[in-house]
Amino acid sequence: QVQLVESGGGLVQPGGSLRLSCAASGFIFSNSVMSWYRQAPGKERELVAGISSDGGSTNYADSVKGRFTISRDNAKNTVYLQMNSLKPEDTAVYYCKARYYSGGDSSDDWGQGTQVTVSS
């Protein structure tokens, strides 16, 4: 079955950095589009960053451009989110999402989330 396991969240001071990881299994990772989303208390879940199956194309929310970098290692079935210059408004639960393809159909799956708290 599909599993997405996020790690790397925690408490960090403003201006600090964290790197989130999402380890995937149960589908052909190299044929998937991976994304990071986040949801802050009282707010809707929003797209943070996405990356194509070969890593050649990425996209970012305006609020994180220049501070966050999404990457992937298809040999390790893992997608990363490097977060620099963190701000209190980056505080949220961060979720990994996979869109994978099989037999011409696509499916979406989510990880359980990892908490990121930016506070002094």
Side-chain angles (χ1 to χ4, degrees), residues 7-92:
S7 61
L11 173 64
V12 63
Q13 291 187 341
S17 298
L18 283 174
R19 188 175 85 151
L20 306 183
S21 300
C22 173
S25 61
F27 61 96
I28 301 174
F29 184 77
S30 60
N31 194 31
S32 68
V33 175
M34 301 299 295
S35 306
W36 286 97
Y37 283 72
R38 67 186 181 187
Q39 188 166 20
K43 294 189 176 182
E44 293 188 354
R45 192 172 295 190
E46 63 174 356
L47 175 66
V48 175
I51 188 166
S52 61
S53 58
D54 65 356
S57 178
T58 58
N59 63 285
Y60 296 93
D62 287 343
S63 59
V64 307
K65 280 181 183 176
R67 300 188 298 123
F68 290 11
T69 302
I70 188 171
S71 62
R72 66 190 295 159
D73 185 338
N74 284 351
K76 295 182 178 180
N77 286 5
T78 302
V79 62
Y80 304 97
L81 185 68
Q82 178 67 44
M83 305 186 295
N84 298 330
S85 303
L86 283 160
K87 305 175 181 180
E89 51 262 45
D90 294 318
T91 296

